[in-house]
Structures are given as C-alpha cells and as structure tokens.
Amino acid sequence: MSEIKSMLPNSIKQAREMIANGELTVSGLVNEYLKNIKDKNGDINAYLEIFEDVIDQAKELDGKIGEMENKPLFGIPFSIKDNILISGKICSAGSKMLENYKAVYNATVIEKLKDAGAVIIGRVNMDEFAMGASTENSAFGVTKNPHDLSRVSGGSSGGSAASVAADMCLASLGSDTGGSIRQPAAFCGAVGVSPTYGSVSRYGLIAMASSFDQIGPIAKSVEDAEIIFNVIKGADKMDSTSVLGEGKGKKENTLPEKLKIGILKYNKTGVSDEINKTVEAAAEKLKNLGHEITDIEIPNIDYSVPCYYVLVPAEVSSNLARFDGVRYGLYAEGSNLTDDYMKTRGKGFGAEVKRRIMLGTYVLSAGYYDNYYLKAQKAREIIKQDFKKAFESVDAIISPATANTAFKIGEKSDNPLAMYLEDLFTAPSKVAGLPAISVPFGAGEGGLPIGVQFTAPWFREDILFKIGKELEK
Ligand code: GLN
C-alpha cells in the first residue's frame, strides 16, 4: 500500500475549504479516494461495489459550485453500509439472499445526503443482515482492520469503519442495533454515533430488529459526525417511529459549559486492562477541563445483553419472514411451496441468521412467550428506568465502548456467545433507546485503537458532541 494520505483532507471542513479555494475540484477529490481504494481495498475488503456513476456525481457537483454554501456535505465522498437502499443499486445486506437485489427507491437518509451535496462512492461490507460483531458473517468475505490486517474491523458496520479509517472515503453511514456503529468505529479508530431511537428515519434501511435499529454516522472526527447527524436527523412521514425530538426528553434546551459526567460502575474482570485505564484517563482529562466526574450505577445493566438477545432474535424472526423466495432476492425451487421456502432460506441465509430466526421463533412460541419475550420486555423497561434515574443526577455517562481491542480474524467466529459479549457496553443504550458515541482515545497494545463511549439522555446528541470534541482536542 503506497502512502498518498497527505493529499486527502482530514475533515469535512478541510475538504470544503479545499474545494472552495479551488485547490481541488470535487472530481479531483473523488479521484484521490478512488486511487486509494484501488490501492487498499484488495487487502481490506471494505467496498463490495464502487458505483459506476461516481465520477458523474462529482462532475455534476463541479458544475454547481455556486450551491456549495447551502449544502453542508458538498463534494464529501461517502461510503454506505450495504443495508441502506440506494435506488437502482444492489443492496445485499451482506447476504446471498439479496446478492442481486436492486433497490427500487432511496432511503430517506440517502435523499438527505444527496440534497446536502454528498458523493456516494459505493456500498460497503457488513455482517449478514447486520447480525454480528466482526463482518465475518458477511457472505462476501471478512473486512480486515486497516491497523492490522490479521484482525477484524468489527461489525456489523465493519466496511463503513474500515473505509473511513483507511481513507477510502471521508465518511460513512452505518446502522446500529446493538453496537454495530460504535464497536467497529472503536476497533478502527473512527468516531461512531448511534443516535436516539427515532431521531433518524429508518425508511429504506433493511430491517434487522425494528425497535433497536438506527442509522448513524462513522467519521474521522466528532465535528464531522455532528455535521452528518444534523443532515440525516428529523421526522419522516415514511417512518412512523421517527420523531423530531425538539424538546423531547430534554431537561432544558441549554447546554451548560460544565457538565456532570458519571463513570459507569462495571465489572472490570473480562475487560482488558488497557481499556479500563483508558476510560480512567479520559475521565481525568474531562475533569481537568472543568467537568465534574462522579460514579454512576445502572443497577440492572447486566441484564442488557440477555434482554437484547431475546428481543432482537424475536424481531429478526418476524422481519426476515419476508425473504421467502417470492418477493425479494434469491429463489430456490423445491417440490412444493413449503419446500420452496426451505430451499430458498437454506441456501440464502448464513448460519448466524438461521440461528437467530430459530431463537426468535422459539422465544415467541406459545409455550415460551411469557417466560422469554414478555420477561425481556419487562427487563427492557426496568433498564430504561435505571437510565432515566441516572440522568436525573448526571448529564452523560462515560464507559468503555468495547471490552477489548480488535480481535484476530477467526478468534471468535466459532463461539456465538463470545461474539454476543462484544456488545457488553453497546447494547445497554440500545435497550433504552439512548444516543451514544464512541470516540477514539489512546491506543492499546500494537497501536490498536481504543474507543471511549459516552451515553446521553434521549435526544441529547448535543451533549455527546460537546464532550466528544473536548476529549478529542
Ligand atoms: N453484535 C450485535 C448483534 O449481532 C449488534 C449488531 C448490530 O448492531 N447490528 O446483534
């Protein structure tokens, strides 16, 4: 891999300046990224496809440079996770089931990116239907970590995180159900934001677990993530769960200069020492910047992962029932209709997807519904209340984003439980529907990136961006 990084901007602001100054055209900028992709993607496997119209998109923008002022993402090259629909393009969700499926409309977030002037370079790899934490569940090969090619990029938005970290785009959109934006961002040294549930439209996102899924940015800095979030957020008539969030759940609409930040009380065994130390160092830095640091407990937090792995498979089993060989994607002919379904799903779905459909069907079945699904719903409410109470005394919570740095390819792929535990720190906020950010801070053994996570009250992304920017400074 040759080093051409220096030619590339480090932020949206810098890219805009370069374009505005005439230092670089949008086409010129896009060409730099395309060169980098050519150089690196063979090793990393982040992109599944580079769109053939990317240069046309750039040229069109070069002809409209006068509109730059009003378009916050003018000329900014993006990669898009392969579960977000782009009209006329294949959207595979990392699955054989949808290998040749072409989207027939744009996701709302894509409309918004385009309106803001973004260039969409291509679609990037992910765990199949967003189920996983390493991209090893993709039907199209693993995405490697740009910092160490023997390691995973994290998942499920591994392609998004790796493409940003390896300068194969300036920013990306991923999706987070239980950690899929923040964990790969942490593993690759990028910033990842999982917005408040309902703040970003899910219209055009291939559903995994609809009461958890949110689209969010993966970017090179907190400021970039904030710019992108402000473009994609907002109520959408095509998604009845989307809400404006103005004033909702906010103690007040002001953002105080000095905040009260709670360090999450958690069991430190099983979390690598370098990560425990990094979180302490981050808290210390924020204290020195004048914020008040205190301890905070979420009493029932340990039930988050078990609760998640009951509710998510339940929703998966329902959402994925649409892949029946009739309406979307792959069709494998059997001897009758039931056999058609079995052959289609048998061939189209990978092992993890099948596992979740079976788990989900089980927890929803008549005899077990009360014991599992209903109980998990109750646990979800209790965890939500725990957070609500915590946010009466703190403005944000600091914790690790992950228990470990990027692990070796193959290290956990035969152990679903170990893989599920990757969500230890990222699942709780999703169970509660809260916004959370992972910000790179320091590095572990071998120079591997570490992410520190902040969680804020519902619709208080502004708090996350403020703390994140101060930490990153
Ligand atoms: N690792 C988690 C899972 O497999 C999270 C995935 C996600 O956020 N899409 O469910």
Side-chain angles (χ1 to χ4, degrees):
M1 291 189 224
S2 62
E3 210 38 76
I4 52 171
K5 200 173 163 175
S6 56
M7 305 279 299
L8 296 167
N10 245 321
S11 66
I12 293 175
K13 194 169 156 207
Q14 195 191 356
R16 285 176 64 90
E17 277 165 12
M18 287 164 97
I19 296 167
N21 293 340
E23 227 175 290
L24 210 58
T25 58
V26 177
S27 314
L29 180 65
V30 166
N31 268 317
E32 290 301 322
Y33 284 103
L34 290 177
K35 273 192 240 164
N36 224 7
I37 292 167
K38 200 167 167 211
D39 206 32
K40 295 178 173 180
N41 196 52
D43 288 327
I44 294 173
N45 191 37
Y47 280 92
L48 296 176
E49 183 184 352
I50 306 298
F51 297 139
E52 82 292 338
D53 64 355
V54 56
I55 292 295
D56 292 341
Q57 292 178 51
K59 280 189 181 150
E60 199 188 321
L61 287 164
D62 279 326
K64 296 200 280 197
I65 195 100
E67 291 175 21
M68 183 169 184
E69 203 59 49
N70 300 318
K71 293 185 184 289
L73 299 175
F74 190 91
I76 305 302
F78 271 75
S79 72
I80 302 291
K81 187 177 185 180
D82 202 21
N83 58 352
I84 299 174
L85 304 187
I86 305 171
S87 185
K89 311 288 188 207
I90 287 178
C91 193
S92 78
S95 181
K96 282 257 172 266
M97 186 63 89
L98 295 177
E99 191 171 6
N100 301 308
Y101 171 74
K102 272 198 183 143
V104 292
Y105 63 92
N106 274 330
T108 298
V109 292
I110 297 297
E111 291 288 340
K112 289 192 172 200
L113 283 194
K114 285 184 182 254
D115 286 348
V119 176
I120 297 175
I121 297 186
R123 55 188 179 92
V124 279
N125 202 18
M126 56 182 281
D127 285 296
E128 185 176 13
F129 286 103
M131 299 173 208
S134 66
T135 73
E136 291 167 291
N137 294 338
S138 168
F140 309 109
V142 62
T143 295
K144 296 177 181 163
N145 193 308
H147 296 271
D148 176 347
L149 295 175
S150 70
R151 292 175 188 272
V152 302
S153 56
S156 65
S157 314
S160 290
S163 61
V164 170
D167 286 301
M168 296 195 279
C169 59
L170 191 47
S172 187
L173 290 187
S175 68
D176 194 307
T177 303
S180 276
I181 287 177
R182 293 159 288 159
Q183 185 254 23
F187 278 10
C188 292
V191 173
V193 180
S194 178
T196 307
Y197 183 77
S199 61
V200 176
S201 171
R202 290 181 295 113
Y203 182 64
L205 171 69
I206 296 179
M208 173 188 171
S210 309
S211 77
F212 293 79
D213 299 340
Q214 273 293 284
I215 295 170
I218 295 186
K220 293 189 88 67
S221 67
V222 176
E223 185 182 51
D224 284 6
E226 183 177 14
I227 295 169
I228 299 161
F229 173 71
N230 285 329
V231 167
I232 62 173
K233 72 175 182 188
D236 177 11
K237 67 177 189 316
M238 303 306 284
D239 173 5
S240 59
T241 62
S242 68
V243 278
L244 270 178
E246 295 305 328
K248 249 198 125 178
K250 294 185 181 182
K251 283 188 206 162
E252 54 196 19
N253 288 326
T254 56
L255 185 57
E257 196 45 48
K258 301 291 173 232
L259 298 166
K260 200 165 170 192
I261 303 169
I263 305 185
L264 179 73
K265 198 174 156 220
Y266 63 93
N267 185 349
K268 298 207 165 44
T269 48
V271 180
S272 85
D273 221 31
E274 55 189 21
I275 288 188
N276 292 327
K277 289 208 173 91
T278 301
V279 172
E280 281 163 26
E284 186 64 26
K285 176 167 178 180
L286 292 166
K287 190 175 167 187
N288 293 337
L289 288 169
H291 299 292
E292 189 184 335
I293 305 293
T294 176
D295 289 327
I296 195 80
E297 195 178 355
I298 302 295
N300 295 290
I301 201 165
D302 289 350
Y303 297 109
S304 301
V305 170
C307 168
Y308 177 92
Y309 278 98
V310 171
L311 297 178
V312 166
E315 295 187 25
V316 161
S317 71
S318 161
N319 272 328
L320 270 62
R322 75 192 70 186
F323 302 107
D324 55 7
V326 180
R327 285 174 290 179
Y328 309 97
L330 188 83
Y331 169 64
E333 196 176 347
S335 51
N336 55 43
L337 187 62
T338 307
D339 200 35
D340 278 5
Y341 292 162
M342 303 225 312
K343 291 237 161 54
T344 299
R345 291 171 179 159
K347 254 178 116 168
F349 289 144
E352 181 59 29
V353 173
K354 289 176 185 162
R355 182 178 299 119
R356 295 214 192 179
I357 293 173
M358 287 191 279
L359 267 172
T361 311
Y362 181 79
V363 301
L364 286 174
S365 61
Y368 297 99
Y369 184 91
D370 289 5
N371 272 346
Y372 294 106
Y373 184 74
L374 207 62
K375 201 174 261 176
Q377 287 289 24
K378 286 179 187 161
R380 185 175 201 179
E381 188 51 39
I382 289 168
I383 293 163
K384 233 186 240 177
Q385 293 306 325
D386 278 358
F387 273 109
K388 200 170 167 201
K389 187 146 178 264
F391 286 128
E392 282 165 13
S393 59
V394 297
D395 299 302
I397 298 170
I398 180 172
S399 71
T402 59
N404 42 263
T405 54
F407 50 90
K408 291 266 186 196
I409 293 169
E411 194 180 319
K412 301 190 180 187
S413 47
D414 293 333
N415 186 346
L417 270 185
M419 204 64 100
Y420 295 172
L421 280 170
E422 276 297 306
D423 311 331
L424 193 63
F425 291 108
T426 49
S429 61
K430 300 301 299 203
V431 168
L434 292 162
I437 190 171
S438 175
V439 183
F441 190 70
E445 212 184 310
L448 292 173
I450 293 177
V452 172
Q453 177 174 247
F454 298 94
T455 306
W458 293 272
F459 299 105
R460 292 308 305 263
E461 282 81 2
D462 59 334
I463 294 178
L464 301 179
F465 296 136
K466 175 183 160 66
I467 302 176
K469 279 188 258 185
E470 290 183 28
L471 183 68
E472 152 187 277
K473 227 183 272 168

